[in-house]
């Protein structure tokens, strides 16, 4: 494969910006990382679903990113990601994006033909019998039956990824974009051998994938911490990194291929494991975050008081009234307990400190409310329908919002994952907690 063109660096972070107002504040976090000796490449991501809800176009993401880069004199690479695109939705992103997260989770489990399965097994005798991955103690015994079953489950999805990849390649030219393949939005965790077989199939399909997002164990709910066995996660992550190393050498996949951790924002309990693993294997990682920037906007508005706080309360009140509609599309990635949602009449009487303390993710504090936070995470549709009533307040309160956005990304995400620093967060009084 020709891997000589656009190349994603070792460390990168996917940063979502629902309303295209925080690109400069987000980029400032990457500037601070660079000043501390670590290059973390920003990738602005926004999905077709988000564009549709908000009424925006991919060009708005590109323009916001370009403007931030110019203002902050950023001389490192940066990208705009067509997030979770499919064959049906990719067209609107072809002009503006140079990073494509190809989502084929819906095709996982669709049975491959007997001929395709037989062909795959015949091409990959190295995957039969004992498989030893470098850097880990575990060995895997793979039977022909296991290899055939796994191929049956994933080959259709990989072939679908190939269709999408070739459509992008036809429009943009080989090497002029970064391909990622996403298989995380599915119910079943993928084992290390699943991942290895998937990577072999990707190589067969001729996709020069640079990042891959498997389904890890545990729950990666939107905007809140990891739910699962943290002690189990680290060895699983190490095995996946070892599988990628094997696939790069065995199948000629791009040497910079790395894991992409989706819904990676606020997964504070596993950040030490991610950092330890990438250091142990000298590996890269792409940490994809998104909706936390929108939540930092709400926190900033609430901190500003006055009209900002009033608007934040209004958004919650409407989100509460429409909670079933808002939560339904995200049912697999949120856990909102209706019994823990404060009544809107109560919230209308809250101070700035009460609102921000409930929303800001400081686990273990009495005020923090994960159900309140997750409902607002999916409630950006409410702000989108407000139009200028919301956007004008973002611009009026830019300073306080930008401070929250930058601190959240740098102190709580980039620092722990890429620099190995313990994450910090300001509590409602402004002190580190």
């Amino acid at each position: 494969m020709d891997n000589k063109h656009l190349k994603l660096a070792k460390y990168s972070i996917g940063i979502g910006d629902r309303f295209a107002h925080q690109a400069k504040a987000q980029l400032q976090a990457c500037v601070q990382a660079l000043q501390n000796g670590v290059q973390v490449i920003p990738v602005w991501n926004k999905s077709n679903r988000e564009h549709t809800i908000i009424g925006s176009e991919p060009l708005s993401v590109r323009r916001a990113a370009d403007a931030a880069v110019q203002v902050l004199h950023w001389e490192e690479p940066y990208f705009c990601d067509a997030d979770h695109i499919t064959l049906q939705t990719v067209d609107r992103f072809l002009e503006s994006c140079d990073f494509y997260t190809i989502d084929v989770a819906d095709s996982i489990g669709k049975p491959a033909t007997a001929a395709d399965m037989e062909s795959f097994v015949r091409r990959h005798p190295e995957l039969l019998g004992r498989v030893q991955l470098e850097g880990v103690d575990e060995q895997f015994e793979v039977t022909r039956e296991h290899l055939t079953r796994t191929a049956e489950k994933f080959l259709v999805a990989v072939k679908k990824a190939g269709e999408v990849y070739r459509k992008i390649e036809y429009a943009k030219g080989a090497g002029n974009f970064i391909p990622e393949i996403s298989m995380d939005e599915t119910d079943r965790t993928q084992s290390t051998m699943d991942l290895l077989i998937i990577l072999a199939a990707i190589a067969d399909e001729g996709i020069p994938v640079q990042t891959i997002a498997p389904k890890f164990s545990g729950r990666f709910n939107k905007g809140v911490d990891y739910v699962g066995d943290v002690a189990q996660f680290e060895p699983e992550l190490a095995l996946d990194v070892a599988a990628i190393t094997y696939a790069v050498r065995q199948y000629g996949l791009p040497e910079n291929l790395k894991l992409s951790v989706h819904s990676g924002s606020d997964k504070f309990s596993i950040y030490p494991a991610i950092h330890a693993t990438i250091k142990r294997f000298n590996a890269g990682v792409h940490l994809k975050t998104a909706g936390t920037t929108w939540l930092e906007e709400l926190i900033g508005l609430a901190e500003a008081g006055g009209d900002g706080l009033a608007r934040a309360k209004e958004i919650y009140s409407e989100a509460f009234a429409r909670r079933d509609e808002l939560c339904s599309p995200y049912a697999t990635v949120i856990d909102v307990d209706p019994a823990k949602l404060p009544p809107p009449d109560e919230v209308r009487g809250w101070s700035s400190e009460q609102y921000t303390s409930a929303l800001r993710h400081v686990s273990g504090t009495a005020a923090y409310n994960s159900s309140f936070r997750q409902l607002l995470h999916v409630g950006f549709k409410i702000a989108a329908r407000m139009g200028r009533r919301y956007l004008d307040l973002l611009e009026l309160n830019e300073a306080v919002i930008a401070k929250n956005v930058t601190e959240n990304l740098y102190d709580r995400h980039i620092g722990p994952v890429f620099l190995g620093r313990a994450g910090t967060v300001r509590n409602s009084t402004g002190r580190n907690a």
Side-chain angles (χ1 to χ4, degrees):
M1 295 181 182
D2 182 0
N3 306 323
K4 297 178 181 178
H5 300 294
L6 282 186
K7 182 177 178 180
L8 189 62
K10 188 175 184 178
Y11 300 149
S12 53
I13 186 165
I15 44 180
D17 189 3
R18 299 282 196 258
F19 299 98
H21 275 61
Q22 308 308 327
K24 186 171 70 172
Q26 292 170 322
L27 183 59
Q28 181 60 41
C30 295
V31 170
Q32 290 177 208
L34 196 61
Q35 290 170 344
N36 282 278
V38 177
Q39 183 197 55
V40 180
I41 298 302
V43 181
W44 278 274
N45 51 258
K46 195 168 183 179
S47 69
N48 186 70
R49 176 168 61 184
E50 290 161 6
H51 281 298
T52 300
I53 289 172
I54 290 170
S56 57
E57 290 294 334
L59 185 59
S60 65
V61 179
R62 170 62 63 185
R63 286 173 172 166
D66 289 348
V69 164
Q70 184 175 13
V71 169
L72 295 182
H73 307 290
W74 178 257
E75 297 180 353
E76 309 300 313
Y78 67 101
F79 300 96
C80 291
D81 177 10
D83 192 17
H84 287 285
I85 51 91
T86 64
L87 199 61
Q88 291 71 39
T89 59
V90 67
D91 285 342
R92 72 189 299 195
F93 295 91
L94 292 174
E95 180 183 356
S96 302
C97 293
D98 48 15
F99 188 119
Y100 291 81
T101 298
I102 302 171
D103 189 339
V104 293
D106 287 346
S107 295
I108 294 175
K110 292 184 178 179
T113 66
D116 282 345
M117 288 186 288
E118 178 60 31
S119 176
F120 180 82
V121 173
R122 191 169 56 249
R123 283 196 306 274
H124 293 289
E126 78 285 353
L127 293 176
L128 287 170
R130 181 172 296 179
V131 177
Q132 176 69 61
L133 303 179
E134 184 179 336
V136 294
D137 294 331
E138 290 85 345
Q139 292 182 341
F140 300 90
E141 290 287 343
V142 182
T143 65
R144 185 180 182 88
E145 180 186 6
H146 177 215
L147 185 58
T148 302
R149 282 202 318 268
T150 306
E152 181 182 27
K153 182 172 184 178
F154 293 108
L155 282 183
V156 170
V158 173
K159 286 183 178 295
K160 180 62 70 175
E163 291 178 31
V164 181
Y165 170 77
R166 285 185 288 275
K167 184 171 186 177
I168 302 166
E169 182 186 52
Y170 180 80
K172 303 189 76 70
N176 292 324
F177 60 98
I178 307 294
E180 170 174 300
I181 294 180
S182 166
M183 294 193 171
D184 66 301
E185 293 196 353
T186 184
D187 294 334
R188 180 176 174 271
T189 300
Q190 289 136 30
S191 70
T192 299
M193 285 310 300
D194 287 345
L195 177 60
L196 190 54
I197 292 166
I198 289 166
L199 290 171
I202 288 170
D204 289 348
E205 194 67 21
I207 307 170
V209 63
Q210 295 192 34
T211 68
I212 185 162
K215 170 71 172 177
F216 298 106
S217 65
R219 282 182 66 86
F220 284 71
N221 287 341
K222 298 287 186 181
V224 294
D225 206 351
Y226 174 76
V227 180
D229 187 340
V230 176
Q232 178 184 342
F233 177 81
E234 184 168 352
E236 289 178 351
L237 187 70
L239 287 170
D240 285 350
V241 172
I244 286 177
T245 301
Y246 178 98
V248 167
R249 293 176 180 172
Q250 182 74 32
Y251 306 122
L253 290 166
E255 62 179 11
N256 64 320
L257 173 60
K258 61 183 179 178
L259 287 171
S260 180
V261 182
H262 281 203
S263 296
S265 54
D266 289 61
K267 303 302 177 285
F268 305 132
S269 62
I270 59 172
Y271 287 170
I274 294 175
H275 180 76
T277 301
I278 61 178
K279 288 300 181 183
R280 173 184 166 189
F281 288 90
N282 191 26
V285 71
H286 181 62
L287 182 73
K288 182 166 276 190
T289 72
T292 49
T293 287
W294 139 249
L295 293 178
E296 294 303 321
E297 288 180 341
L298 280 182
I299 288 170
L301 290 177
E303 279 188 343
D307 289 342
L309 177 59
R311 192 74 72 248
K313 292 177 180 179
E314 181 184 351
I315 289 170
Y316 174 73
S317 179
E318 189 167 347
F320 182 91
R322 297 169 55 187
R323 57 192 180 277
D324 291 340
E325 168 201 340
L326 294 172
C327 292
S328 178
Y330 298 91
T332 61
V333 287
I334 57 173
D335 284 316
V336 174
D337 182 350
K340 295 182 179 178
L341 292 173
D345 285 346
E346 176 186 328
V347 173
R348 276 190 280 269
W350 280 2
S351 65
S352 291
E353 181 179 337
Q354 287 173 299
Y355 193 102
T356 58
S357 295
L359 182 54
R360 185 177 278 126
H361 190 172
V362 187
S363 298
T365 61
Y368 170 61
N369 186 326
S370 64
S371 291
F372 180 79
R373 180 176 174 85
Q374 289 177 90
L375 177 59
L376 284 171
H377 192 290
V378 300
F380 64 94
K381 180 187 291 188
I382 307 301
R385 292 186 177 179
M386 290 179 172
R388 292 309 315 180
R389 292 180 61 232
Y390 179 72
L391 299 179
D392 286 349
L393 283 173
L394 293 187
E395 293 162 11
L396 184 64
N397 296 285
E398 178 182 0
V400 64
I401 292 171
K403 187 174 188 294
N404 279 285
V405 169
T406 300
E407 287 183 354
N408 175 58
L409 272 178
Y410 181 75
D411 292 340
R412 308 178 71 200
H413 294 82
I414 290 175
V417 172
F418 301 107
L419 285 77
R421 297 179 177 177
T424 60
V425 61
R426 291 183 302 116
N427 61 24
S428 57
T429 64
R431 296 188 294 269
N432 286 342

